[in-house]
Amino acid sequence: MMFPSTIETLARAVAHEHDSCGRIFGIPAALFAPAAASPRLRCAHMGHSLDNPFGVAAGPHTQLAQNIVASYLVGARFIELKTVQVLDRLEVSKPCIDMRDLGYNCEWSQELTLEQSFDQYASAFALVHALARARGADPSGIGFNMSVGYDLRGIRSPAVTTFIDRMRGAGGGITAKAKAVRDAFAGTSLAVDELDVPERISNDVTLSTMHGCPPEEIERIGLHLIEELGVHTTIKLNPTLLGPERLRHLLHDRLGHTRVEVPDEAFAHDPSFEDACAIVDSLSRAAKKAGLCFAVKLTNTLETRNVEKVLPEKEALHYMSGRALHPISAALAALLADRFAGAVPISLSGGVDAFNAADLLACGVRPLTVSSDLLRPGGYGRLPQYLELAEDRLGALGIERLDDVPLSATKLAAYAERAADDTRYSRRTARPTFSSRRSLELVDCMAAPCRERCPAHQNVPDTLRLIAEGRADDALEVILRDNPLAATTGCACDHPCTLECVRNLLDDPIEIREIKRWAEENARADADEPRPYRRDGLHARPCSIGVVGAGPAGLAAAVFCRRLGHEVTVYEARDRLGGIPASAIPAFRLPDAAVARDVARAARLGVRFERGRTLGGDLDLGALRAVHDRVFIAVGAGGGRRLGVPGEGAAGVCDAIDFLERVKKGGPPDLGRSVVVVGGGNSAMDAARAARRLVGEAGRVTVVYRRTRAEMPAARDEIDIAEKEGVAFEELLAPGRVTVGTDGHVVGLECLVMELGEAGDDGRRAPVPVAGKTRTVRVDSIIVAVGQGRLPASLASSGLEVAPNGRIAVDVGLETRLPGVFAGGDAVRGASTIVEAVADARAFADAVGNTGGDGAAREIDANASLARKSRRAYKEAEPRAEAARCLGCDELCALCVTVCPNRANVLYEIVPTAGGVTQRYQTANVADWCNGCGNCAAFCPTGGAPYRDKPRICLTEEAAREIGDGAVFLLERDGWELREREAGETVRVVREGEHRSSETDPAGARLFAIGRALYAAFRYLV
Ligand code: SF4
Ligand code: SF4
Ligand code: SF4
């Protein structure tokens, strides 16, 4: 439940935050829209002359006064106030927003009473006028638009009628609000001498009808608004007007959002296109007769089934908004513009963003209002870019005044077609989400997701900062500190860091691997001499280390240990160093020279290599243990796993690694014309791409996988590249039998047709055979890439314990049951990635020293960082420019702050070291302003929910009483109290003046430090 603040509190908050931090409601001044309106963007709408055509849609951004103020500050000039209705005490399911990719919400119902809504809208109106005056701007270019629902009875009710009357200036009490603001601003940089705020807040209404409202009811309401109330009127239409065939074709076939289910009822209970046209015709004639404006707003959200169950399960349906709705809204706009020959103005909100706004404006669509886009990272701060890009792009089109641009059905139809083909709206650009499940603590939560996701926890942000500063040499040292295989991973790492780069949520992820590769290739020749690590703790004296295997795990372990000053000998069975990556990853992905550079670096450090030494052959584990203090076994995973189906022994069926090794050695097998690769990992992609080169243009290479492409474990870019190179993909097929010709050679692969069942422990949906359905693919060769499964037989007699999964058994520290003998990489994990091998190597090295230690903390400009996090910027070709796109998530995360529509998540500073706190910037949640929508939890890169787990600042006792568990911070004029609650009980209380010692009461000392910092930062709120 929310407890909206009074005008006095809000005005004080505005003035104080502005003067003390250079922000207002968390929006840094750098994001404020210019005070002077652009002549190009000015436009008329609903009886207003708007400074620009951008606004915020009725919804979470227009509920509380601070939301409206934040919208105004970033440039919104058409404020569609959140819909009100007579039923103003509804229980709304929570969480109610899921904006991680496509936007979903439970029906956004009013959460405030009509009285509270009026109070908030009037407060916002007064504040916006005062801020405009204080900034030397003309407030008349801002339009507040009422939105009412949902049926005629409710709209005619005395409560809603009174609301509308008051909004239209009947005894609204605006003068008192203006005085309160002027008083609060007095003596600050926002002080205004005169503040004349009009009594009329709004004289225009958008009619928001529930999904399923009958056409005749919509028309009756529209006529009531126009003829009886005499207000300018807009009606908001549903996307279902496109009709089931066209809508589903766009959504599923062209955009690929096949998992979005639109129930038949959605079409059955909504008006048809013809119904809607009749309503539009009737209302526009009525408005013309009454001398009022009339417009259509596209579109309402799309009713869909709650399949993913992110929103509460009890909601069978939820409502889709965001990017997938954009081509649908554009297509509907084109149809309506055509039907009415451009005579009925169309305003649009479905999936509008900074990059498509100018296209729509050039078609004559305006104003454009936004909600979903502003709920994503960057939040309100995304809006300034709309204005900048619109100004530039319309200028480039020679458009001097928006009002001169007519609504064009032809242009809209062409635009809608382009949008339907644009991957920005399709499933192919689905945005990944964070996988970290670390718990969210009261303080010190900020970390870079890229670094957390990297198995070796490489310091990506520092590397990118150094590269952006042109310091490739220093960047290479940072890379080498965490990862001795800088060249190999620069080319062939599966780079999971990229999947979790926060920029995925804004534009494009940073090309982390490519930039690091550039640094490795472009650092000074002598810049790669790694400095030694500190050697402390248990193994302060130099040890002798034996490493068995010179693959990624062995090589990396050798370098880590050498940098710790230990003597290291690597024993390798083959002549070639570098393991499977060196021998089997094709040269088009991993050149020999790259592996050679990593090996050379190890050799220069003094790592000794003994080639032709095989464990279980001429090498005996007992003897190794006698010679070395510690032994690290990194012998790889051994042979490839078999399909386990009849016929797989036939000629023409080969293992992917064997195949790739033969290709790399220059003696590839004859594959024939038609090749099937079974598997979905990186080896499968390598094998498919290598085979594609061998079969030539006339040949065909098909990857067969038992799940869908979306579940393939291979890096997404490897899959995309394979496809671009002509590899075909067959999803949901599992090998059942290899069919063999009379000559003993494979001729076909009979596959079981699969479907996806329930999600397994790894979160992926398990493939299940469809009863009785098979498919046979004709083939000349089959390459099996379903993982590696057999430990080298030579290890069987070494005394190492083999785990049930067929791998060497180790404890959490990677030590085997033989003391002093450790193991890592594929020998322990099975087929894994190069960087996972590096991670194991480091874990082993940490057992013989301390490889940790980052550079010193840097000064952070929080406002500059917040502004950067709002600006969308797509990939740069030049490495330094690309590195400069890094948002420094380790220094300031604040995702929860930017995405909160209610400005309830706030940033504060604390002195690091106070109470054991280590980070300077922290976040807290103003409980009175939070409605538990869950948006901050969806974007927080931890397993927690900021609005529940962070200290909750309560401005009122009522808010404090609402809170179940967690840290409840009650802010009072003359002090503060911080209660920690668990299982509904208060377990610890600290208060102003009750200092706690970190020696005797560390938990109390920490709470005290937090409480003191919160009070210092937010006492102005009471
Ligand atoms: S923006 Fe930079 S710090 Fe943040 S996740 Fe991406 S690479 Fe890492
Ligand atoms: S703090 Fe989080 S849950 Fe609360 S209103 Fe903001 S985004 Fe929603
Ligand atoms: S989103 Fe907020 S709570 Fe989550 S890690 Fe970032 S700053 Fe912390």
Side-chain angles (χ1 to χ4, degrees):
M1 191 170 172
M2 283 181 295
F3 300 93
S5 290
T6 61
I7 183 74
E8 289 78 13
T9 300
L10 293 166
R12 217 168 38 241
V14 167
H16 182 91
E17 199 186 349
H18 179 262
D19 284 10
S20 65
C21 312
R23 301 190 284 268
I24 294 179
F25 294 125
I27 313 276
L31 292 174
F32 295 174
S38 148
R40 195 189 316 279
L41 297 182
R42 269 191 187 284
C43 58
H45 186 66
M46 291 285 117
H48 300 281
S49 171
L50 302 174
D51 280 352
N52 70 54
F54 297 112
V56 268
H61 299 95
T62 53
Q63 177 159 234
L64 295 176
Q66 63 264 37
N67 309 17
I68 298 167
V69 170
S71 307
Y72 160 73
L73 288 170
V74 293
R77 293 296 178 264
F78 191 62
I79 313 289
E80 292 178 350
L81 300 166
K82 185 161 169 136
T83 308
V84 296
Q85 62 161 325
V86 68
L87 300 173
D88 62 356
R89 283 174 174 81
L90 290 174
E91 188 74 18
V92 179
S93 290
K94 295 293 165 63
C96 56
I97 302 179
D98 174 15
M99 288 289 151
R100 289 165 308 157
D101 182 15
L102 306 182
Y104 292 107
N105 64 274
C106 303
E107 188 72 296
W108 275 327
S109 293
Q110 179 183 358
E111 292 173 78
L112 304 182
T113 62
L114 277 160
E115 179 57 39
Q116 286 174 318
S117 293
F118 173 75
D119 182 68
Q120 289 296 297
Y121 301 160
S123 292
F125 196 64
L127 280 164
V128 162
H129 274 74
L131 282 165
R133 289 271 180 247
R135 302 178 67 229
D138 175 4
S140 68
I142 311 157
F144 274 44
N145 172 258
M146 291 178 267
S147 176
V148 295
Y150 287 99
D151 59 16
L152 185 57
R153 207 160 140 235
I155 291 170
R156 272 192 166 145
S157 67
V160 175
T161 305
T162 305
F163 170 85
I164 295 175
D165 286 348
R166 293 179 76 191
M167 291 292 286
R168 296 176 75 195
I174 279 288
T175 312
K177 297 242 180 228
K179 180 175 181 317
V181 179
R182 209 183 53 223
D183 289 353
F185 283 11
T188 74
S189 68
L190 298 174
V192 281
D193 295 337
E194 291 294 315
L195 185 55
D196 189 16
V197 183
E199 285 288 332
R200 171 169 284 188
I201 300 170
S202 174
N203 192 37
D204 47 292
V205 171
T206 295
L207 168 60
S208 183
T209 55
M210 281 287 207
H211 293 277
C213 188
E216 49 290 355
E217 175 82 352
I218 298 175
E219 184 177 359
R220 276 199 296 268
I221 304 172
L223 290 172
H224 169 73
L225 294 173
I226 294 166
E227 293 173 347
E228 292 175 41
L229 298 186
V231 289
H232 304 297
T233 300
T234 301
I235 56 165
K236 188 154 69 172
L237 298 177
N238 286 346
T240 44
L241 295 194
L242 265 191
E245 271 154 39
R246 185 146 184 214
L247 190 144
R248 285 179 179 141
H249 171 66
L250 260 178
L251 188 64
H252 297 155
D253 306 337
R254 299 203 50 191
L255 299 168
H257 296 292
T258 46
R259 299 204 66 199
V260 178
E261 292 179 24
V262 188
D264 290 339
E265 312 91 84
F267 298 98
H269 63 208
D270 276 358
S272 68
F273 183 72
E274 291 307 324
D275 290 337
C277 287
I279 298 170
V280 170
D281 188 45
S282 153
L283 296 185
S284 56
R285 276 190 285 114
K288 192 169 176 192
K289 196 165 150 203
L292 293 168
C293 302
F294 175 76
V296 163
K297 163 88 191 277
L298 300 178
T299 63
N300 215 333
T301 47
L302 177 65
E303 200 170 351
T304 51
R305 283 194 213 287
N306 182 7
V307 179
E308 305 277 346
K309 310 271 188 263
V310 174
L311 298 180
E313 252 181 80
K314 67 174 183 179
E315 301 286 335
L317 297 172
H318 54 20
Y319 300 87
M320 191 193 83
S321 56
R323 65 194 184 98
L325 198 54
H326 188 67
I328 295 170
S329 302
L332 188 54
L335 283 186
L336 283 167
D338 183 50
R339 170 61 71 95
F340 293 98
V344 177
I346 296 179
S347 112
L348 199 134
S349 62
V352 171
D353 69 16
F355 297 93
N356 58 29
D359 291 323
L360 291 165
L361 294 173
C363 294
V365 176
R366 60 184 177 266
L368 305 176
T369 55
V370 210
S371 180
S372 303
D373 194 44
L374 305 190
L375 286 167
R376 297 179 56 77
Y380 290 87
R382 286 180 170 221
L383 203 65
Q385 214 173 358
Y386 286 58
L387 275 76
E388 282 168 41
L389 293 180
E391 180 72 33
D392 290 354
R393 292 183 182 180
L394 294 178
L397 292 172
I399 294 171
E400 296 301 327
R401 269 167 40 96
L402 264 187
D403 278 340
D404 294 340
V405 182
L407 182 62
S408 162
T410 319
K411 285 186 187 168
L412 261 174
Y415 174 71
E417 267 305 296
R418 288 203 306 279
D421 288 332
D422 190 333
T423 51
R424 287 201 309 129
Y425 311 118
S426 76
R427 179 173 174 233
R428 296 200 64 168
T429 45
R431 285 128 180 176
T433 46
F434 303 116
S435 64
S436 166
R437 306 314 297 162
R438 74 179 156 98
S439 62
L440 182 58
E441 304 297 332
L442 277 184
V443 285
D444 293 344
C445 58
M446 302 198 192
C450 53
R451 188 173 189 180
E452 291 192 283
R453 182 65 181 83
C454 173
H457 302 303
Q458 295 181 69
N459 190 343
V460 176
D462 271 0
T463 307
L464 297 182
R465 257 176 232 130
L466 291 165
I467 293 171
E469 289 167 15
R471 295 164 59 192
D473 305 342
D474 295 330
L476 180 57
E477 165 53 20
V478 172
I479 298 168
L480 290 171
R481 169 165 282 277
D482 297 328
N483 169 18
L485 308 185
T488 305
T489 51
C491 296
C493 182
D494 67 328
H495 61 132
C497 52
T498 309
L499 275 183
E500 306 223 350
C501 173
V502 168
R503 277 235 174 248
N504 277 296
L505 303 167
L506 285 154
D507 31 61
D508 286 329
I510 294 180
E511 297 273 16
I512 299 168
R513 180 184 64 186
E514 282 63 30
I515 298 175
K516 286 163 68 184
R517 175 181 179 169
W518 178 86
E520 195 272 336
E521 290 173 352
N522 289 277
R524 263 192 354 259
D526 62 348
D528 64 352
E529 295 307 332
R531 290 164 225 150
Y533 295 126
R534 237 176 25 251
R535 196 178 63 235
D536 57 7
L538 198 56
H539 298 286
R541 74 175 174 83
C543 302
S544 170
I545 309 288
V547 175
V548 185
L555 265 183
V559 173
F560 281 130
C561 291
R562 191 68 201 113
R563 285 184 73 172
L564 285 162
H566 302 306
E567 293 299 320
V568 185
T569 305
V570 178
Y571 304 93
E572 168 58 47
R574 307 179 189 211
D575 276 347
R576 185 173 200 156
L577 304 177
I580 295 287
S583 64
I585 295 184
F588 54 74
R589 202 154 77 82
L590 179 59
D592 287 346
V595 180
R597 285 202 298 281
D598 286 334
V599 172
R601 255 192 289 270
R604 281 207 303 280
L605 263 178
V607 173
R608 282 193 302 273
F609 293 99
E610 292 191 16
R611 293 173 169 84
R613 307 294 307 273
T614 308
L615 191 60
D618 68 323
L619 264 188
D620 172 69
L621 192 51
L624 282 177
R625 293 176 72 196
V627 176
H628 299 293
D629 296 301
R630 294 285 181 274
V631 175
F632 184 59
I633 312 275
V635 292
R641 227 184 249 145
R642 296 165 66 88
L643 288 175
V645 301
E648 72 173 312
V653 181
C654 64
D655 168 66
I657 299 296
D658 293 344
F659 164 71
L660 288 166
E661 287 190 329
R662 286 182 64 183
V663 173
K664 204 151 186 184
K665 273 189 195 146
D670 179 4
L671 296 174
R673 285 291 177 82
S674 177
V675 182
V676 158
V677 178
V678 182
N682 286 325
S683 294
M685 297 310 128
D686 282 344
R689 292 177 64 195
R692 188 77 200 83
R693 286 162 170 76
L694 291 173
V695 299
E697 281 307 304
R700 180 177 168 80
V701 177
T702 307
V703 170
V704 163
Y705 187 57
R706 60 197 181 127
R707 294 181 163 105
T708 70
R709 250 171 91 143
E711 287 87 25
M712 282 183 176
R716 189 182 304 185
D717 50 355
E718 295 301 326
I719 300 170
D720 291 345
I721 292 171
E723 187 176 40
K724 275 198 195 112
E725 290 178 356
V727 172
F729 287 83
E730 293 268 11
E731 304 176 330
L732 295 168
L733 290 182
R737 185 169 70 96
V738 174
T739 50
V740 187
T742 49
D743 60 353
H745 199 280
V746 56
V747 293
L749 180 64
E750 185 182 297
C751 297
L752 310 176
V753 175
M754 314 294 277
E755 61 187 357
L756 292 181
E758 293 298 311
D761 291 344
D762 61 358
R764 294 190 303 165
R765 294 172 69 198
V768 189
V770 180
K773 276 187 94 175
T774 59
R775 250 188 69 200
T776 300
V777 191
R778 307 304 306 170
V779 294
D780 299 321
S781 302
I782 297 174
I783 302 173
V784 181
V786 293
Q788 288 158 282
R790 300 175 309 235
L791 267 181
S794 54
L795 283 182
S797 56
S798 63
L800 291 168
E801 186 185 349
V802 176
N805 62 5
R807 313 278 164 214
I808 298 175
V810 291
D811 64 15
V812 284
L814 296 183
E815 193 161 11
T816 68
R817 84 178 174 86
L818 301 177
V821 178
F822 294 71
D826 290 3
V828 168
R829 294 172 180 262
S832 54
T833 63
I834 302 170
V835 71
E836 284 172 329
V838 172
D840 286 356
R842 189 163 192 175
F844 166 65
D846 279 335
V848 290
N850 179 357
T851 62
D854 276 345
R858 300 175 341 132
E859 274 299 300
I860 311 160
D861 178 341
N863 286 348
S865 178
L866 284 170
R868 263 169 56 67
K869 286 171 193 296
S870 299
R871 198 176 168 79
R872 300 176 67 195
Y874 285 91
K875 270 192 207 342
E876 295 279 355
E878 199 277 313
R880 280 184 59 180
E882 176 67 357
R885 292 173 62 235
C886 176
L887 299 168
C889 310
D890 55 335
E891 294 178 335
L892 190 80
C893 167
L895 283 169
C896 55
V897 175
T898 66
V899 301
C900 175
N902 292 352
R903 316 317 294 148
N905 288 328
V906 287
L907 210 56
Y908 69 102
E909 286 184 56
I910 195 166
V911 180
T913 73
V917 178
T918 63
Q919 295 179 344
R920 178 175 158 198
Y921 285 100
Q922 309 287 343
T923 62
N925 174 273
V926 181
D928 300 66
W929 298 347
C930 172
N931 66 346
C933 71
N935 199 40
C936 54
F939 288 107
C940 174
T942 72
Y947 70 103
R948 288 196 303 256
D949 300 333
K950 287 292 170 183
R952 306 211 59 194
I953 301 167
C954 299
L955 312 181
T956 52
E957 268 290 355
E958 292 99 305
R961 270 198 299 276
E962 287 269 317
I963 296 173
D965 290 346
V968 183
F969 179 80
L970 188 59
L971 193 56
E972 286 162 348
R973 189 172 297 280
D974 303 316
W976 56 269
E977 182 176 296
L978 184 47
R979 308 168 194 155
E980 198 165 26
R981 290 171 60 83
E982 283 173 20
E985 300 290 325
T986 299
V987 292
R988 191 175 283 107
V989 181
V990 290
R991 289 188 189 86
E992 164 92 20
E994 287 180 5
H995 181 65
R996 303 296 180 98
S997 149
S998 47
E999 270 84 51
T1000 55
D1001 179 9
R1006 193 175 73 136
L1007 273 192
F1008 183 81
I1010 295 169
R1012 197 164 52 178
L1014 285 171
Y1015 191 61
F1018 300 111
R1019 62 190 301 179
Y1020 64 84
L1021 283 172
V1022 290

